[in-house]
Amino acid sequence: KNKREVWRVNYALAKIRTAARTLLTLDEKSEQRLFQGEALLRRMVRLGLLTESEKKLDYVLGLTTAKIMERRLQTKVFKLGLAKSIHHARVLIRQRHIRVGKQICDIPSFLVRLDSEKHIDFALTSPFGGGRPGRVKRKRAKSGKGGDAGGDEEDD
């Protein structure tokens, strides 16, 4: 299997942890540690990797790959029950059926922010989200067999 996404997450995590480690070596009252440390922690909290109670640089060093992978759009779509499996979630995202807020997002590795999490839904143009019916359903309706026959086996 291609593990490129895992490697990319590991690389990003390594950079975050390196930044936290260098900041921890500085004096606690140092200007650089205060400003850059706060910025790093704010970013981690906004992405949902740390909770508000964990706003310390020591917690940044404890971040794991699994924690970042949990924040991906693909995982969120599956956990919210919009898809039947992780693989189904990936397909729905790539086929532009999922939106975050008002924006259609077709990147499965998109890191969902904490405030955007509650806005994940089917796209308005998608057959799942009340858009026009899919190709098979339109064809069945046209031939007169009725649109609801086999609505579960919809090919988009």
Side-chain angles (χ1 to χ4, degrees):
K1 273 247 183 219
N2 186 356
K3 297 210 184 304
R4 185 177 294 142
E5 290 183 31
V6 177
W7 297 334
R8 204 175 70 221
V9 166
N10 279 333
Y11 179 61
L13 186 61
K15 288 205 301 193
I16 290 167
R17 293 182 62 181
T18 305
R21 243 191 332 273
T22 53
L23 288 174
L24 279 169
T25 60
L26 299 171
D27 179 47
E28 225 171 279
K29 298 278 184 269
S30 121
E31 207 172 287
Q32 185 183 2
R33 178 169 169 171
L34 289 174
F35 281 106
Q36 290 183 4
E38 270 303 309
L40 183 67
L41 290 170
R42 197 170 37 247
R43 224 171 21 244
M44 296 300 111
V45 169
R46 193 173 60 193
L47 280 172
L49 298 173
L50 295 178
T51 59
E52 282 291 337
S53 60
E54 297 178 328
K55 282 186 101 175
K56 285 204 173 73
L57 285 172
D58 299 327
Y59 289 110
V60 175
L61 295 178
L63 285 177
T64 59
T65 312
K67 193 130 182 173
I68 296 180
M69 294 299 240
E70 247 345 93
R71 300 298 312 169
R72 297 172 75 240
L73 181 60
Q74 182 178 346
T75 316
K76 289 289 166 198
V77 167
F78 172 60
K79 297 271 191 217
L80 286 171
L82 298 176
K84 295 174 185 164
S85 70
I86 290 276
H87 306 291
H88 185 219
R90 188 178 189 89
V91 170
L92 285 178
I93 294 165
R94 282 305 298 158
Q95 292 176 353
R96 301 171 61 86
H97 290 295
I98 303 293
R99 67 186 164 111
V100 180
K102 290 187 172 106
Q103 190 81 37
I104 289 179
C105 184
D106 63 349
I107 293 112
S109 62
F110 174 76
L111 285 181
V112 181
R113 290 183 176 173
L114 211 54
D115 52 344
S116 305
E117 199 172 335
K118 51 190 158 288
H119 301 296
I120 298 173
D121 199 13
F122 287 117
L124 298 171
T125 53
S126 161
F128 302 112
R132 82 179 228 209
R135 179 181 61 84
V136 173
K137 201 166 196 174
R138 286 198 310 266
K139 193 174 179 185
R140 285 196 182 126
K142 189 174 159 189
S143 67
K145 289 183 186 168
D148 282 334
D152 201 20
E153 296 170 13
E154 210 173 300
D155 281 338
D156 299 323

